[in-house]
Amino acid sequence: MSSFIIDGLLKLNGAQQFQNDLKQTQNQTESAVNKMAKSFNNLAKTVVAAFSVRAIAGFTKTLVSAAAQVNASNAQFAATFKEVGDSATKMFNDVSKATGVMATRLRVAGTKAFSQFKGAGLDANRALSETERYLNLAADAAAYYDISLEDADMRLRSFIRGNVEAGDMIGLFTSETQRNSKALEIYGTKYINLTEAQKQMVMLNIADEIYRQSGALGQASRESGEYANQSGNLAESWLQLKAAMGDKVLEAVIPVMQSISNIMDDMRYKVEDFNAWIDTNKSTITGWVENAKTAFSNFIRFWSTLCDDLRWEFFNFIDAVSPAFNELWNTISPIIDTIREGLISAWNKIAEVWAESAPFFDELWITIATGISEVVSGISETISAVWDFLQELYDKIEPYLPTIFETVETLIESAQIFVKEKIDTIVSYLTTMGDTIKGIFSALTLAM
């Protein structure tokens, strides 16, 4: 084969491979384009769904709700801490750095604790200082016992107020002896004699000591990077972000809500005015009611007349169709008569057959009755013969019965006398033998 032919075949094979590669590339390209088109289509649907009217309305509602919640929390914070507001903000930030819990998450628990301490009698600065210690303990309790910060806060505040059972779930327990010991150590008197503020400080110190000894103290800081704390922080960040986005929306919504409230108030006033108008025009309204009653009575009268007319029309209809029914009856009456005569004929035939069969049944009954009578008579005769035999036997032995009875009675009495004599003899013998043995033992006792 010449080199020209070989070169030509190689070129042909190369062209075929190139076409195959080109076709494969085309198929892959079409598949990729279809997948991209499908992905863009799904993305477009997702975007449309996300920005639908219902989704936007729902999301806007959550923004407004978050903004209202955060604004209420801020207002509560400002009203609670007042002159120590700046110090409180710094305190929350310090606790946040120490525990890894966002400062805004700590605000609710801290505000409640501060209010409790201040309400018990502590001044603002002392209450703020104890709140910082309290928040660290609450964060440590939540981390150490794997519960929410809100739950730990509720139980710890209850424990500090003296509800010792509330501390069970967060590892806090105390006895009266321990409370009195701590009260004497700090205040020089028993727990029962302390003020409410002093009692709460004693319980806070006991909680601090228990966590310090158990290793729970500082647990929030050690777990600050764990999932539970980070997820809580993320939820709080999302709430604050929604509040920031919804703040302006809330500013726009509040006037609308106020307008709606004003409209509802106006409606209430209008209703009250309407009620007053009814009182003023009671006689006129009464006249309207009487007219309505008259109109209703007229309607009832009309309806009654209409029903009467319909009833007479019904009777006329009956009169009109009666001839047709009579004709129908005349047509079917012969048929009914034929059926009735057939039934009578059949009944007569049955009676005739019964009359012819009656003698046979009478004779059969007489035969059965005669057989039963003979059987009963035979049984009666047998019983009578047995009775006669027993009577005759009794008559024969009756003269000997007294002698038999006397003989039996004599035999029984003789047997009784014989048995008694033998028993007496045996008893006498045993008594004599017992006395003899007793005498022998008495003699031996004296000899010894």
Side-chain angles (χ1 to χ4, degrees):
M1 185 178 296
S2 66
S3 60
F4 176 79
I5 296 175
I6 294 174
D7 186 49
L9 289 175
L10 289 175
K11 288 181 179 180
L12 287 175
N13 290 335
Q16 185 64 39
Q17 183 65 36
F18 176 77
Q19 290 178 356
N20 292 338
D21 291 343
L22 183 61
K23 187 174 182 180
Q24 183 178 358
T25 302
Q26 182 180 2
N27 292 336
Q28 292 176 350
T29 303
E30 290 178 354
S31 176
V33 169
N34 291 334
K35 289 181 180 179
M36 291 176 63
K38 186 176 181 180
S39 299
F40 279 116
N41 187 30
N42 293 335
L43 178 61
K45 290 180 180 179
T46 303
V47 171
V48 170
F51 290 93
S52 64
V53 174
R54 179 178 297 180
I56 292 174
F59 182 65
T60 303
K61 183 178 178 181
T62 62
L63 295 183
V64 171
S65 177
Q69 180 180 345
V70 172
N71 287 346
S73 177
N74 292 337
Q76 183 187 35
F77 178 88
T80 302
F81 292 97
K82 296 180 181 177
E83 69 277 4
V84 293
D86 293 339
S87 299
T89 301
K90 180 179 181 304
M91 180 271 293
F92 281 116
N93 290 333
D94 291 342
V95 176
S96 176
K97 291 177 182 177
T99 60
V101 181
M102 286 186 64
T104 50
R105 282 183 66 196
L106 297 169
R107 272 195 177 188
V108 175
T111 302
K112 292 178 180 178
F114 179 83
S115 298
Q116 179 173 310
F117 296 152
K118 194 174 179 184
L122 296 180
D123 62 75
N125 291 320
R126 175 71 188 280
L128 188 63
S129 174
E130 298 301 339
T131 299
E132 182 174 3
R133 183 159 63 126
Y134 171 87
L135 285 175
N136 280 286
L137 292 175
D140 288 338
Y144 195 82
Y145 293 100
D146 293 327
I147 59 176
S148 67
L149 179 63
E150 293 74 19
D151 195 7
D153 164 54
M154 180 186 66
R155 293 180 179 278
L156 183 57
R157 277 190 296 108
S158 183
F159 176 80
I160 290 173
R161 289 196 302 269
N163 181 14
V164 295
E165 290 82 2
D168 291 343
M169 190 174 177
I170 54 175
L172 296 178
F173 49 87
T174 181
S175 63
E176 184 178 358
T177 302
Q178 185 182 14
R179 291 193 294 273
N180 286 329
S181 175
K182 181 57 65 174
L184 287 169
E185 176 187 335
I186 300 175
Y187 300 106
T189 185
K190 289 186 176 182
Y191 178 80
I192 194 171
N193 299 325
L194 300 178
T195 65
E196 179 59 29
Q198 290 172 337
K199 288 179 179 179
Q200 292 192 20
M201 292 304 99
V202 166
M203 297 298 286
L204 187 61
N205 275 282
I206 290 174
D208 189 290
E209 288 184 359
I210 291 174
Y211 279 2
R212 193 177 302 277
Q213 293 170 2
S214 66
L217 201 67
Q219 188 67 22
S221 176
R222 291 190 291 271
E223 292 189 9
S224 61
E226 298 297 329
Y227 173 79
N229 183 57
Q230 292 303 320
S231 62
N233 287 342
L234 179 60
E236 178 66 20
S237 298
W238 176 235
L239 175 66
Q240 295 296 328
L241 177 60
K242 289 192 295 182
M245 291 189 295
D247 191 49
K248 295 301 180 183
V249 179
L250 185 62
E251 291 179 2
V253 168
I254 288 178
V256 175
M257 295 175 67
Q258 291 175 343
S259 299
I260 295 174
S261 297
N262 294 334
I263 292 171
M264 294 180 71
D265 285 338
D266 292 338
M267 291 177 64
R268 177 171 60 85
Y269 295 139
K270 285 181 172 53
V271 170
E272 292 175 353
D273 293 338
F274 179 72
N275 292 335
W277 178 83
I278 290 177
D279 293 335
T280 304
N281 299 279
K282 187 175 295 184
S283 58
T284 304
I285 295 173
T286 303
W288 291 348
V289 172
E290 293 297 327
N291 293 336
K293 288 169 61 178
T294 302
F296 183 74
S297 298
N298 292 336
F299 172 78
I300 295 298
R301 193 178 300 110
F302 164 76
W303 179 255
S304 177
T305 303
L306 178 63
C307 290
D308 289 338
D309 293 340
L310 291 174
R311 179 163 56 86
W312 287 113
E313 289 295 327
F314 176 75
F315 290 154
N316 293 335
F317 170 77
I318 293 298
D319 293 337
V321 300
S322 291
F325 279 104
N326 291 333
E327 183 178 354
L328 177 63
W329 173 253
N330 293 333
T331 301
I332 65 175
S333 181
I335 299 174
I336 295 174
D337 291 337
T338 301
I339 295 172
R340 181 173 57 82
E341 290 174 359
L343 292 174
I344 292 173
S345 176
W347 175 255
N348 292 334
K349 187 64 178 176
I350 292 171
E352 182 181 348
V353 171
W354 172 255
E356 291 176 356
S357 303
F360 168 76
F361 287 105
D362 290 340
E363 184 177 355
L364 178 62
W365 171 250
I366 291 170
T367 302
I368 293 171
T370 301
I372 293 173
S373 176
E374 289 176 357
V375 171
V376 171
S377 177
I379 294 172
S380 177
E381 289 175 0
T382 303
I383 293 173
S384 178
V386 172
W387 176 255
D388 291 340
F389 169 76
L390 294 174
Q391 185 67 39
E392 183 179 356
L393 178 61
Y394 178 80
D395 292 339
K396 288 180 180 181
I397 67 174
E398 183 180 11
Y400 304 101
L401 289 177
T403 303
I404 294 171
F405 289 150
E406 290 176 358
T407 303
V408 172
E409 185 176 0
T410 301
L411 290 172
I412 292 173
E413 290 177 353
S414 298
Q416 289 177 346
I417 293 170
F418 173 79
V419 172
K420 187 175 183 304
E421 289 176 352
K422 295 301 182 183
I423 291 174
D424 291 341
T425 302
I426 294 170
V427 170
S428 176
Y429 172 76
L430 292 174
T431 302
T432 302
M433 185 173 64
D435 292 339
T436 303
I437 294 171
K438 185 177 182 182
I440 293 171
F441 276 101
S442 297
L444 291 172
T445 302
L446 293 174
M448 295 174 69

